[in-house]
Amino acid sequence: KKGSQECFEFILPALPHALDVLCNSARVANTHASMQSQPSNQTSASHGGHVCPHHQHHEHSHSHSHSHSHGTTKGLRDLSRVAQRDRHSPYPMLSMDQASSTVLDQAKALPVVTLPAGEALHHVLASDIFASDPLPPFPASVKDGYAVIASDKAGQRQVVAPVTAGDEPNVVVQSGQVVRISTGAPLPEGTDAVVQVEDTELV
């Protein structure tokens, strides 16, 4: 069993009581009373009984609290299983390639079928498809920021113009210059990259 499954199985018996607490159910008091009446080697001697941390938020009327998970009225959970379980997973670590191969070895390739688009829900493409024309038909920015010349690298730049979606830039950007650009706007001539505005500052 993997760690996540082990942890889930451990807390599973306590989930009904946790839901009762969240819903302010009358069953909470009955559960606590039942647990209080049962002897436990985990009971704090100084408190003389069961100690329940959520009473401060949900059950102000009872004064007992506890620091361990508990189940339903059937009894307390034995925490020794947690303390004694392996500190390291008994399962060997697999590389990504090994894990992928294990999954793919068990997977069966489905036959390729041809369907009308309206009947293709819950199906995946058997091969890549490509648009006959690019859309948009120009290099566009996917960020708000500054259109730059990538080879200029980091440093201070002169902002020579703004460009927004729908505009046709009429500036040719030279080294040391940038253009303020909005998402969807075409890159001005001379630029080949966009630096998002969050990665810049005015000087």
Side-chain angles (χ1 to χ4, degrees), residues 128-145:
D128 294 334
I129 59 173
F130 301 92
S132 56
D133 296 297
L135 187 67
F138 51 80
S141 175
V142 297
K143 295 270 189 179
D144 288 344

Side-chain angles (χ1 to χ4, degrees), residues 87-119:
R87 296 298 89 194
H88 301 282
S89 173
Y91 300 94
M93 179 68 72
L94 299 178
S95 69
M96 183 62 73
D97 288 341
Q98 288 175 308
S100 297
S101 296
T102 299
V103 172
L104 294 176
D105 287 345
Q106 301 301 316
K108 292 196 238 165
L110 297 175
V112 176
V113 296
T114 302
L115 296 172
E119 299 177 15

Side-chain angles (χ1 to χ4, degrees), residues 131-172:
S132 56
D133 296 297
L135 187 67
F138 51 80
S141 175
V142 297
K143 295 270 189 179
D144 288 344
Y146 293 88
V148 302
I149 301 172
S151 59
D152 277 353
K153 304 192 181 297
Q156 294 187 19
R157 299 287 181 271
Q158 178 189 11
V159 181
V160 294
V163 58
T164 59
D167 288 348
E168 292 186 13
N170 57 4
V171 61
V172 178

Side-chain angles (χ1 to χ4, degrees), residues 32 36 43-44 47 49-56 62-68 70:
H32 289 169
Q36 188 76 358
T43 300
S44 170
H47 289 79
H50 170 74
V51 182
C52 195
H54 59 69
H55 78 286
Q56 296 176 355
H62 68 274
S63 60
H64 60 279
S65 62
H66 71 93
S67 58
H68 61 272
H70 53 77

